[in-house]
Amino acid sequence: MTIRDFVLLSGIALLATIVSVLVCSALRVPRLPLALIAESVFCVCFLLGYRRMARTRGWRTLADRFAPVSGTAILAAVVCAAYIVGMHYLLFRLLAPLGIPRASASTGFSSSARDQLLAVVPVAVLLAPFVEELIFRGMLIDWLRQWVSKWAAAALSSLLFALAHANYFHGGVLAVVRFTDTLLLGIGASIFAIRCGSLRPSFIVHAAYNLLVAALILQG
């Protein structure tokens, strides 16, 4: 895979996303459904484009990239996600007297928006993590390994993963904690992807993390 292939694949998915946003905006679709539609369109188009390019360019198929792994690896992935979320929860319990809301630090949602989470969960827990693992732990690491060692590639992809998820240059403590959480998630997922030779456990780490964060918000 070349960077040109990735730009082409991402560009087509992004173009479809922009069209969907324009159509939804014209139809006055509310902000949250619009965001979910946009993310879903990008993810689906990216996956369809990847499948097509995998056939024509000899890339690893999705089934190969997300090949089955042992039950032990899956369990370890869930434990890893629970550990990161647990550390986040304990930290914000300690910071609670300072008036810092733990939920919004990780997701941008406050507990008052918990009714919206039920609509967000399918995309945030299944579709988005699947595509992000394909991009960051699959395609990006493969490309970086042409130039650096596998662990350097894992570190760089984890850093880019964390930076891609929000603007961390404002927000004080919240920004630092969110960046650290996402960086740890990326590192953990990268280790599983490299050690297991499959993106399935890294997807489980990512999906379980998002699900556990959503559960914390739902409980308030």
Side-chain angles (χ1 to χ4, degrees), residues 8-27:
L8 176 61
L9 184 56
S10 301
I12 294 172
L14 183 59
L15 180 60
T17 303
I18 292 173
V19 171
S20 71
V21 169
L22 291 176
V23 171
C24 289
S25 297
L27 295 174

Side-chain angles (χ1 to χ4, degrees), residues 32-48:
L32 180 61
L34 188 152
L36 292 176
I37 291 171
E39 186 162 10
S40 298
V41 168
F42 179 87
C43 290
V44 170
C45 288
F46 192 93
L47 289 175
L48 292 175

Side-chain angles (χ1 to χ4, degrees), residues 6-214:
F6 178 75
V7 170
L8 176 61
L9 184 56
S10 301
I12 294 172
L14 183 59
L15 180 60
T17 303
I18 292 173
V19 171
S20 71
V21 169
L22 291 176
V23 171
C24 289
S25 297
L27 295 174
R28 300 185 182 278
V29 175
R31 183 176 179 181
L32 180 61
L34 188 152
L36 292 176
I37 291 171
E39 186 162 10
S40 298
V41 168
F42 179 87
C43 290
V44 170
C45 288
F46 192 93
L47 289 175
L48 292 175
Y50 182 91
R51 287 186 62 187
R52 180 178 178 82
M53 294 180 80
R55 289 195 302 268
T56 60
R57 306 196 182 192
W59 294 355
R60 295 175 61 188
T61 65
L62 290 174
D64 184 36
R65 283 194 177 276
F66 291 86
V69 295
S70 69
T72 301
I74 297 299
L75 178 60
V78 173
V79 170
C80 177
Y83 177 79
I84 296 172
V85 175
M87 293 299 292
H88 168 97
Y89 179 81
L90 290 175
L91 176 60
F92 275 89
R93 290 280 291 184
L94 295 174
L95 294 176
L98 301 179
I100 298 176
R102 67 176 183 271
S104 61
S106 284
T107 64
F109 285 92
S110 65
S111 57
S112 62
R114 69 184 65 176
D115 57 314
Q116 300 175 349
L117 284 172
L118 295 178
V120 173
V121 164
V123 176
V125 174
L126 297 175
L127 190 56
F130 190 89
V131 174
E132 288 181 5
E133 290 309 307
L134 175 62
I135 293 173
F136 288 98
R137 256 63 69 179
M139 302 174 72
L140 183 56
I141 286 183
D142 284 353
W143 182 75
L144 289 171
R145 287 180 67 175
Q146 299 176 60
W147 315 102
V148 298
S149 69
K150 62 183 178 182
W151 296 115
L156 287 171
S157 70
S158 298
L159 180 60
L160 291 172
F161 174 72
L163 291 172
H165 274 75
N167 178 5
Y168 298 106
F169 301 103
H170 301 88
V173 174
L174 294 182
V176 173
V177 173
R178 176 164 167 74
F179 178 83
T180 303
D181 269 7
T182 313
L183 182 61
L184 289 175
L185 174 62
I187 291 172
S190 296
I191 291 173
F192 277 103
I194 291 174
R195 290 292 190 189
C196 297
S198 168
L199 295 179
R200 184 169 296 200
S202 68
F203 165 70
I204 295 296
V205 171
H206 196 158
Y209 173 88
N210 286 1
L211 180 61
L212 289 170
V213 169

